[in-house]
Amino acid sequence: MAEKFDCRTTGVHPSEITPEHVYLNRRGFLKSLGIAGAGAFLAACGGSPPASPTGAALPAVTETAVQGEINPTDEPGDALTSFEQITNFNNFYEFTFSKRDVAKLAQEFPTSPWQVEVYGLVNNPHTFRIEDLLKQFTQEQRIYRMRCVEAWSMVIPWQGFPLAQLLEVVEPKPSAKFVRFETVFDPERMPGLKNHSYPWPYQEGLRLDEALHDLTILATGLYGKPMPAQNGSPIRLVVPWKYGFKSIKSIAKIELVETQPATLWTTIAPHEYGFYANVNPKVDHPRWSQASERRIGESKQRPTLLFNGYADQVAHLYEGMDLQVDY
Ligand code: MTE
């Protein structure tokens, strides 16, 4: 498949290239779902400091009021990637495989009206209008590193809300073990969908405990502005400890399911793209190393961190798993 991810063909030039958090009373919610270790989850949400590249402890994930000033750096002190770079170097294959053309092609993409249908193994299936999601859930700012499987990275100031808050409303049944996400399918406005060698619509999935983790958000904007079309307007997933392809854009459907769902990338190339896709410098892509990455806007390589630097918050989710096998 010629268009598969390949950092050697991305042609990135060095010049081109994260009010107080609303406390969720999830304890009862998690217990009702029968999730083991809810206490550990809540402790992790409390923000054990992640390890820095130098091994020093870092403060918790940065959260500031959406209306307030945007921090100029992420928690290790790395500068934010510029708005210009974040919005002009994109992977959104429904439009094109050419990163620099997504913004232009997506400009007219209509994202109003927009609905997100949440269904499957839930007690309260519900279709949310985007304007209701924006009102119902307090929008927070989260500055996250994003590490693409292609070995480049950015630091992006998102705004959005924890996916757990939405799941709390629909009440997953005890039989729900995974969450499946689907991007809108709009061949008239998404020219890339004419490429029939891909199993559209773009689909992704998370284990339920990953979906409920406080770091996992549904993002509705960046840099304090509504989400640009090229970045997945009006609403996308952001899972900062996983490779960027897990962070599915322009979500139309969210389904709670019992078994691990098929995803676009595990369907196309399961030997190259695992379901978990946790950032891991020790598990190379079959065609390139994942030991280091280039931050967009910098020329030098920097070491890639296990779980993209969020290990202290998320490593417990994978206890007992062999990360070389479940990659
Ligand atoms: N979601 C959809 N629907 N289609 C895509 O092609 N690309 C993924 C992910 N989400 C993609 C997607 C990949 S490979 C990456 S790296 C990120 O989106 C890129 O997000 P960005 O363009 O906002 O930086």
Side-chain angles (χ1 to χ4, degrees):
M1 186 129 345
E3 300 92 345
K4 261 185 235 160
F5 292 130
D6 189 339
C7 60
R8 295 162 304 181
T9 61
T10 53
V12 187
H13 187 272
S15 66
E16 293 168 308
I17 318 253
T18 134
E20 202 176 324
H21 177 52
V22 178
Y23 177 71
L24 253 187
N25 182 10
R26 293 198 195 100
R27 192 178 294 271
F29 170 50
L30 292 171
K31 279 199 179 139
S32 72
L33 290 172
I35 290 180
F41 166 73
L42 289 164
C45 295
S48 324
S52 74
T54 55
L58 303 172
V61 173
T62 308
E63 294 170 5
T64 55
V66 173
Q67 292 81 8
E69 273 185 26
I70 294 170
N71 281 0
T73 67
D74 75 348
E75 67 280 16
D78 290 347
L80 300 186
T81 305
S82 73
F83 181 81
E84 193 61 21
Q85 289 163 324
I86 294 169
T87 57
N88 285 287
F89 186 80
N90 302 102
N91 276 332
F92 204 163
Y93 287 180
E94 287 89 331
F95 289 96
T96 172
F97 295 109
S98 163
K99 289 175 172 48
R100 283 175 241 291
D101 294 329
V102 178
K104 193 173 56 196
L105 286 169
Q107 213 151 50
E108 304 298 322
F109 185 61
T111 50
S112 178
W114 191 277
Q115 296 185 333
V116 181
E117 187 187 352
V118 190
Y119 62 107
L121 300 173
V122 294
N123 292 325
N124 301 319
H126 191 75
T127 298
F128 297 86
R129 297 183 315 158
I130 187 66
E131 50 273 41
D132 295 334
L133 288 171
L134 290 166
K135 264 191 245 141
Q136 193 169 341
F137 302 105
T138 305
Q139 308 294 304
E140 311 166 17
Q141 187 181 115
R142 298 282 184 103
I143 297 177
Y144 285 160
R145 295 175 290 285
M146 184 179 74
R147 169 53 158 89
C148 181
V149 74
E150 297 165 330
W152 53 264
S153 60
M154 296 188 186
V155 183
I156 304 177
W158 303 106
Q159 67 260 8
F161 57 96
L163 172 61
Q165 293 185 4
L166 182 93
L167 295 177
E168 187 174 17
V169 172
V170 297
E171 289 184 18
K173 294 181 176 174
S175 53
K177 304 287 183 239
F178 292 87
V179 187
R180 189 186 72 85
F181 305 85
E182 205 177 292
T183 294
V184 70
F185 182 78
D186 186 349
E188 266 182 42
R189 298 182 178 90
M190 295 170 138
L193 294 177
K194 294 196 177 79
N195 181 341
H196 296 297
S197 55
Y198 277 70
W200 309 114
Y202 197 103
Q203 292 185 59
E204 259 307 334
L206 293 175
R207 228 171 46 193
L208 184 57
D209 58 346
E210 298 176 319
L212 291 171
H213 195 284
D214 189 62
L215 288 179
T216 304
I217 60 167
L218 286 172
T220 55
L222 56 87
Y223 265 105
K225 303 177 202 293
M227 188 68 77
Q230 59 270 35
N231 295 91
S233 67
I235 188 162
R236 71 174 291 172
L237 185 70
V238 180
V239 194
W241 71 95
K242 293 178 179 283
Y243 290 119
F245 67 85
K246 297 294 287 183
S247 293
I248 181 172
K249 296 177 168 181
S250 302
I251 296 171
K253 291 181 184 177
I254 299 178
E255 183 184 13
L256 279 285
V257 296
E258 189 159 7
T259 53
Q260 185 175 303
T263 72
L264 182 130
W265 291 109
T266 55
T267 303
I268 293 173
H271 53 291
E272 298 198 349
Y273 308 106
F275 176 80
Y276 284 95
N278 291 316
V279 175
N280 190 337
K282 295 205 170 121
V283 178
D284 286 339
H285 185 281
R287 291 182 282 135
W288 60 83
S289 164
Q290 294 292 25
S292 66
E293 67 201 56
R294 194 164 68 73
R295 186 67 50 81
I296 299 293
E298 295 178 356
S299 52
K300 61 177 172 38
Q301 292 285 117
R302 56 169 68 218
T304 285
L305 305 178
L306 181 61
F307 298 115
N308 204 19
Y310 299 99
D312 283 1
Q313 285 127 310
V314 302
H316 67 280
L317 297 173
Y318 309 102
E319 262 165 34
M321 279 173 57
D322 184 343
L323 299 178
Q324 305 276 337
V325 176
D326 288 313
Y327 56 87

